[in-house]
Each structure stands twice: as structure tokens, then as C-alpha cells.
Amino acid sequence: MNLNLKSKKFLIVEDLANMRKAIRELLYTLDVQHIVEAANGLTAIAAMKRERFDVVLCDYNLGEGKNGQQVLEEARFRKLLPYNAIFIMVTAEQNQSMVLGAMESKPDEYLTKPFNGQQLLMRLERNQTKKEFFADIEQAIEAENYSLAIQYCDSKLQEDNRKMHLHLQKIRAELAVNTGDFKKADNIYREVLAARELNWARLGLGVIAYLQNDYESAIDVFQKLVDSQSMMLEAYDWLAKAHEASGDYLNAQAALDKATNISPQAILRHKKLATLADKTGHLEIAEKAYRSAVNLGKNSVHKSSGDFSGLAKVYSKTNNSAAALNTLKDMRKQYVNDPEAELRAAALETEVYQQIGDEEMSEQAYRTAQELCEKLGDKIPNDLRMDVVKAHYLKGNDESANAILDQLIKNNIDDEHFIGNVKAMLGSIGSEHHADALIAPIKQALIEINNKGVDLFKRGKLLEAMRVFEEAAEIMPENKTIMINMIKILIYDLKKSGFNQHKFAKAQDLIKKAAKYGVNPDKIGNMLMQLEKMSAVNESKV
């Protein structure tokens, strides 16, 4: 294709002024007229917030601050790149850590210096062709209109475009997975594998097994992939997830440990490794992973005060109180006037100062934590609520601790990993039996609520079933099982009684809430698609 670049907006992200000039001059030879330059990651993100670019040429090494991988991560996280934008990672280096880190962030292209206009133009033309071909599908996916995306995908597959066919199959299979149509996805992956052994198709079969809770089969697929494709980092992540889901935390930890050694720039993987190693008692590995997360977080959109507090907890567990307190001091410097960070510090200082026998400082930290809890209200994340609960127990305030813990358990009683964390926390203060006393009645209550609501639903008493779950939601507002049951009732009611805008909007709001609290994407996608189909049918009648 003959690509006309006159109307395209380009962003050059490069820390060296002479290199920016060289790239700018090169772009002028290609008839590019709209060029914006950024000398570092921060100004690049600021530029993308101001205007939408068609092409971003971003160097990997940007001196102080964000690197190119972190620029791309943040641009995607904040949705600063339009679906049709082309992001090209540029670098002169070839070391494994940098290359794997850059490729993990999945830029559209990877270009090594020096490059000429023809090389750049070839990559732009290739990507523009691809972007234009998939534009309608990507737009539908971006709008979470999965049924429309599937419709477009199926239509294009009928065209039998040989160059795009494999990628179309990959997208179609992923759409099937994300909407819970595992049979369709399985058929596509096996069709692809029958013609050619492709890693993404093999991985897809493992993902399907994982999502259907067949962890043994999933582990077998992922393990064979990492054994034969040692640089396939996505397979390590899924292997860890499958091991963790089956309760094998040690092997989950081992998979992530190996992946972080291969590619040490992925902050989210370090965070996950840190929590797993902390859970298994491998505190040296946890310390190293938390340190990596803290260091990488300095310039990452995934930066979190929770990484500092996690590191401080590890130090506390190894009786290195000085290091724990210094870590919390560093956290305060990084998160000035941040109430959440202050609460993390105060809750942990309550424990650490009590651990070293400084009751006065422990009491002072505890009072600060109580004040911050009142200030933050329901904005406190669950992991931090657990720290607050522990601080309450340590100071003998069992009533406040039990009240918070009761609500946490009610909201997360169907999350085995979270309940395991509750038991571990109570075990750390010698209250193992108290955990069962709190958890058992809540679990039984949820079972009874669920049985009652499902029974009413099966007998066709939709209003009564909905009322049961709505009353339960008032007590357990973040409980995923209750949310899913409410959505199912609304969708069934819409199908049976006809389209109703109020019920439709209510179902949409509940789906958004379910996604926020971590309901599996395949369940979310399936419910969204059902709503989209009903909405489309209703619009066709108008």
C-alpha cells in the first residue's frame, strides 16, 4: 500500500536531542508534517493526554525516569492510545533483559537503531494494513460489544484472507474464551494445531482447561510449553496461576521465580511472586521480589504503597525491626500526604513498635491508624483492612477487629485465597481457632441464601428470588456469588418478559461492579454479550 503520512500525527520519545533531530529529519523525508517531541517518559505521557497520536516512536532507554516499556504500559493503562495507533519501540541495545521486557509490553513493532526511512515505512505500512483490516473488530472489543466483534470476526473469516487468517482465528478464539464459549475456542485452537504447532494455540488450550477448573490438564499444557519454549513468559504466568488455583503455592512460586530471572523488568510479576513467597515462608525470595517491585515502581503506573508495606512486613517477620521502620520511612517520602500510605505505615508501626517493646510509640501509631480509618472510610483496600484488623487485635480491641473482619469475610467468603489469608493472619497472632468460629457461620449463611434464592428462581418466582439476593447484597455488598446470581436473574427476566430499560441498566451496573471486584472475565464477557444481543434485538424493533 502507498501510505500517506501527511495527515498522521507522530510523537517522538527520545532523550537525546541529536537523535530526536535525526528522527524528525527522517520523518520529514516521508512527508510527515505533524510531529511532537518528548525528551522523557513523563512528557510523553503528558503529550498523549493532550492529543491522540497515530504513531509513537519511543526509545526504550530514556535516561532518568520512565523507560519505553513503562511509557507503553501507562499509555495502555490510561487508554491514551487509540485502537488504530501504531506504537514502535526503538532501541540500540540487544541484551536479553531489555529485549524481553520490551516485547512483554507488546508494542506493535520493535525497531533497532540505526534505521532508515525505508525500514520505518515498511513497518508503518504493514501495521497500517493490519490496523485497518481489524479496525471494526477492535472498536467493538474496545466498546465491550463482544457479540458485534464476533460477528465482524466471523464475517472476515469467511473472506479467507490468507495473510490475516491466522490472526483472525487467534482473535476469534480469544473472544470465545472471553465470552465463556469454551467449545468454540477449543475447536479453533485444535484446528490451528492440526495444521501447524503454534505456541499461542497450545497455550489457549491450557487457558480453557484452567477456566474450566481442570487444573491438572492446564498444568500439563503450561509445563510442556515452558519446557520446550523457555522464553515464553506468558506460559510461566499461567503455570503459576494453575498451581496456585490447585493449592500448590510452592510450584506457583517456582514458576514465577524462574520467569522473573529470565525477564526482570515486569513489575506485576514481581508483586505476585512476593505475595506467594511470603505465603510459603520463603522470606528471602519475598524480600527480593518486593525490593524489585519497589524499585521498578518508582517510574511505573503500577507503583503501590502496598509494595513498601509488604517489604516492611517481611522485615518484621525476620525480626529486622530497624529495616521495617526504615522501609516505612521511605514509603512516606514517596507518598507524601497520601492517607492510604500513612495508614499502611501506622498499622504496621503499631505492630513493629510493640514487637520491640516500645509501647508508647506503638500506642501513638495505633491512634494515628484509628484516625486515618475514620478519614478513609470504605476507601480502604482489603489487604490494608487486614493490617488494621491485626493492629486492633494486638492492642486488645477485639470488638473493632471482629467488626471489620466480619464484613471482610462476608464479602469474600467465596474467595478461598482471601479466606486463607484471613486464617494466616489470625494464626500469626495465635488465634487459629477464632478463624473457624468467624468463617463457618458466614459460609453456612451464604449457602442458605444461595439455596433459597436459586430454589425460588427455579420455581419461576423471579421477584422473590431477586429480593433474597438484594437483601443479602445489603449485608455482603462485595460478594461475587450474590452479584452473579442477581445478574443471571435479570438476564433471564429480560429474555422471558421482554426488554426493559431499567432492568437492562441495572444488569449493566451489576456487571461493572462484578468486574471491579474480580469476577472472572469469561463470566463477565458472557453476561455482557447476552445483554448486547437483547439490546440489538430491541433496537431492531424500534
Side-chain angles (χ1 to χ4, degrees):
M1 67 178 292
N2 294 318
L3 187 59
N4 184 353
L5 299 179
K6 285 185 179 180
S7 62
K8 303 292 184 183
K9 295 181 180 180
F10 277 68
L11 173 64
I12 302 171
V13 189
E14 167 65 63
D15 61 320
L16 300 177
N18 61 339
M19 186 57 68
R20 288 199 303 275
K21 181 182 177 183
I23 295 173
R24 183 175 67 246
E25 294 298 329
L26 185 150
L27 292 177
Y28 286 148
T29 68
L30 300 176
D31 287 334
V32 177
Q33 296 182 3
H34 187 118
I35 302 172
V36 174
E37 297 178 25
N40 56 55
L42 280 176
T43 52
I45 294 297
M48 283 187 268
K49 286 179 179 177
R50 285 194 304 271
E51 58 182 311
R52 297 299 198 195
F53 292 97
D54 299 294
V55 180
V56 179
L57 291 168
C58 183
D59 194 55
Y60 183 87
N61 288 313
L62 297 170
E64 292 294 320
K66 296 178 184 296
N67 60 31
Q69 178 183 344
Q70 291 166 331
V71 169
L72 179 52
E73 276 182 347
E74 183 160 352
R76 289 223 177 101
F77 182 81
R78 300 194 186 285
K79 301 187 186 301
L80 302 178
L81 288 170
Y83 68 91
N84 59 343
I86 300 170
F87 192 104
I88 300 178
M89 193 76 75
V90 181
T91 184
E93 294 188 29
Q94 291 295 312
N95 71 75
Q96 177 179 296
S97 170
M98 183 280 299
V99 172
L100 285 173
M103 295 312 293
E104 273 207 88
S105 56
K106 297 182 179 178
D108 294 300
E109 284 287 349
Y110 182 74
L111 193 59
T112 55
K113 297 176 182 176
F115 59 89
N116 57 41
Q118 187 60 33
Q119 289 171 315
L120 176 59
L121 190 60
M122 283 177 61
R123 283 164 172 75
L124 290 173
E125 287 178 343
R126 179 169 62 198
N127 275 277
Q128 185 66 27
T129 300
K130 187 176 177 181
K131 296 276 184 179
E132 287 179 359
F133 184 83
F134 290 101
D136 50 0
I137 299 172
E138 293 297 337
Q139 278 183 292
I141 292 172
E142 194 174 84
E144 295 186 335
N145 192 336
Y146 299 120
S147 59
L148 186 60
I150 288 170
Q151 181 182 322
Y152 288 142
C153 213
D154 287 341
S155 176
K156 289 180 186 294
L157 281 166
Q158 294 298 316
E159 296 170 11
D160 197 25
N161 184 315
R162 291 186 179 182
K163 286 185 177 180
M164 301 297 183
H165 192 76
L166 261 182
H167 193 66
L168 269 172
Q169 285 182 298
K170 186 173 186 290
I171 293 176
R172 182 62 183 89
E174 288 169 353
L175 282 166
V177 169
N178 291 336
T179 54
D181 189 354
F182 299 130
K183 184 178 180 181
K184 177 68 175 179
D186 185 87
N187 288 339
I188 295 171
Y189 288 134
R190 292 189 187 281
E191 180 186 334
V192 170
L193 290 168
R196 182 180 172 189
E197 183 63 37
L198 290 172
N199 295 333
W200 59 262
R202 186 65 62 190
L203 183 80
L205 291 179
V207 171
I208 291 170
Y210 171 86
L211 292 172
Q212 292 181 310
N213 302 324
D214 184 0
Y215 303 127
E216 185 177 348
S217 296
I219 288 167
D220 182 60
V221 171
F222 301 139
Q223 187 63 59
K224 285 177 179 175
L225 276 171
V226 300
D227 288 343
S228 62
Q229 308 292 329
S230 61
M231 298 298 173
M232 191 178 179
L233 294 158
E234 193 175 3
Y236 287 97
D237 292 332
W238 278 105
L239 178 60
K241 287 175 72 172
H243 277 308
E244 184 181 14
S246 67
D248 188 349
Y249 300 120
L250 283 173
N251 273 318
Q253 174 191 309
L256 290 180
D257 195 20
K258 189 170 183 180
T260 55
N261 286 327
I262 295 170
S263 178
Q265 300 299 315
I267 183 173
L268 295 180
R269 190 175 293 124
H270 282 290
K271 287 171 181 274
K272 185 61 183 176
L273 173 59
T275 57
L276 276 171
D278 193 359
K279 182 177 287 188
T280 62
H282 288 77
L283 299 183
E284 287 186 11
I285 295 174
E287 179 188 341
K288 180 183 175 184
Y290 273 126
R291 279 187 171 279
S292 296
V294 166
N295 289 330
L296 290 169
K298 290 175 183 176
N299 300 300
S300 171
V301 70
H302 301 301
K303 174 181 180 180
S304 169
S305 58
D307 298 329
F308 284 87
S309 61
L311 181 58
K313 287 179 200 175
V314 169
Y315 286 134
S316 177
K317 289 178 182 180
T318 56
N319 296 315
N320 191 345
S321 302
L325 293 171
N326 283 332
T327 300
L328 296 176
K329 184 179 178 181
D330 290 341
M331 179 173 70
R332 283 194 170 100
K333 290 178 183 177
Q334 290 284 327
Y335 295 87
V336 179
N337 297 323
D338 184 323
E340 182 183 313
E342 286 293 334
L343 178 54
R344 289 187 185 279
L348 284 174
E349 284 170 344
T350 301
E351 178 181 353
V352 174
Y353 280 122
Q354 184 162 312
Q355 191 178 55
I356 61 178
D358 192 337
E359 289 296 334
E360 183 179 347
M361 288 299 291
S362 176
E363 188 62 32
Q364 182 179 317
Y366 180 58
R367 286 197 299 271
T368 300
Q370 288 177 302
E371 291 169 4
L372 287 164
C373 281
E374 290 183 14
K375 181 178 180 180
L376 285 166
D378 60 0
K379 296 178 182 178
I380 305 171
N382 283 351
D383 70 307
L384 180 48
R385 288 178 196 268
M386 292 279 281
D387 291 344
V388 172
V389 167
K390 188 174 183 180
H392 281 316
Y393 279 132
L394 290 172
K395 303 310 289 184
N397 189 352
D398 290 10
E399 184 179 350
S400 294
N402 289 338
I404 298 171
L405 200 52
D406 179 73
Q407 191 60 56
L408 279 171
I409 295 170
K410 283 177 178 175
N411 283 329
N412 298 281
I413 192 64
D414 44 8
D415 184 336
E416 290 183 13
H417 294 305
F418 185 84
I419 296 302
N421 292 338
V422 171
K423 291 179 178 178
M425 184 275 291
L426 289 170
S428 71
I429 57 173
S431 299
E432 297 92 338
H433 299 302
H434 187 50
D436 292 332
L438 286 170
I439 293 166
I442 294 172
K443 183 174 284 189
Q444 184 58 39
L446 181 63
I447 290 170
E448 290 174 3
I449 289 167
N450 197 52
N451 288 344
K452 183 178 179 181
V454 170
D455 178 63
L456 287 166
F457 174 75
K458 287 180 177 178
R459 289 193 281 136
K461 298 185 176 182
L462 304 187
L463 285 175
E464 292 90 336
M466 194 67 178
R467 195 172 299 121
V468 167
F469 290 120
E470 284 176 339
E471 289 172 359
E474 290 179 9
I475 303 168
M476 310 177 188
E478 298 170 17
N479 187 278
K480 295 188 281 291
T481 298
I482 291 169
M483 287 183 219
I484 291 170
N485 283 329
M486 290 171 72
I487 297 165
K488 285 180 177 177
I489 291 171
L490 285 166
I491 288 174
Y492 181 84
D493 195 9
L494 284 163
K495 287 178 178 177
K496 182 182 178 183
S497 305
F499 191 84
N500 177 287
Q501 187 59 46
H502 173 71
K503 291 175 183 177
F504 180 81
K506 187 175 181 178
Q508 281 186 314
D509 289 341
L510 278 168
I511 289 172
K512 288 177 184 176
K513 186 178 178 181
K516 177 183 175 182
Y517 289 110
V519 171
N520 284 349
D522 57 292
K523 291 181 180 177
I524 297 291
N526 181 270
M527 292 183 293
L528 275 172
M529 193 165 73
Q530 290 185 66
L531 286 179
E532 289 155 8
K533 286 180 177 178
M534 284 186 278
S535 179
V537 170
N538 179 65
E539 287 176 6
S540 68
K541 292 178 180 178
V542 176

